[in-house]
Amino acid sequence: MKAYVVVTARAGTARDIADAMTKLAGVQMADACWGGGDVYAVVDFPDWKELNGLVLDKVHSMPGVIRTETHVAVER
């Protein structure tokens, strides 16, 4: 299950959040960005329970995270 996680971050924390996310299992890449979202990450998990664990338990508890949006990729 591939997904895109978009993080809205408190000012000055996007780089730290992106760096921390790259160290988590299942995260293929995470970049601090300009624009609508502050961090964009690509993640891949075998099922939705592990994706929930990443977003709800790990990302939401990171300092500076205000909110997230998760977009699950459609299978081709």
Side-chain angles (χ1 to χ4, degrees):
M1 169 179 287
K2 181 178 180 178
Y4 301 88
V5 179
V6 181
V7 177
T8 301
R10 202 169 4 263
T13 62
R15 285 187 182 117
D16 293 336
I17 292 167
D19 288 343
M21 286 184 72
T22 61
K23 296 177 178 111
L24 298 174
V27 177
Q28 295 178 338
M29 55 81 53
D31 289 319
C33 300
W34 297 349
D38 299 306
V39 176
Y40 284 74
V42 176
V43 302
D44 197 6
F45 290 98
D47 60 47
W48 64 270
K49 287 182 184 181
E50 291 184 56
L51 176 60
N52 279 348
L54 171 82
V55 175
L56 297 177
D57 299 333
K58 295 178 181 167
V59 176
H60 279 213
S61 66
M62 290 180 175
V65 171
I66 295 171
R67 68 186 288 266
T68 63
E69 291 181 25
T70 302
H71 305 271
V72 177
V74 177
E75 291 183 33
R76 293 190 220 179

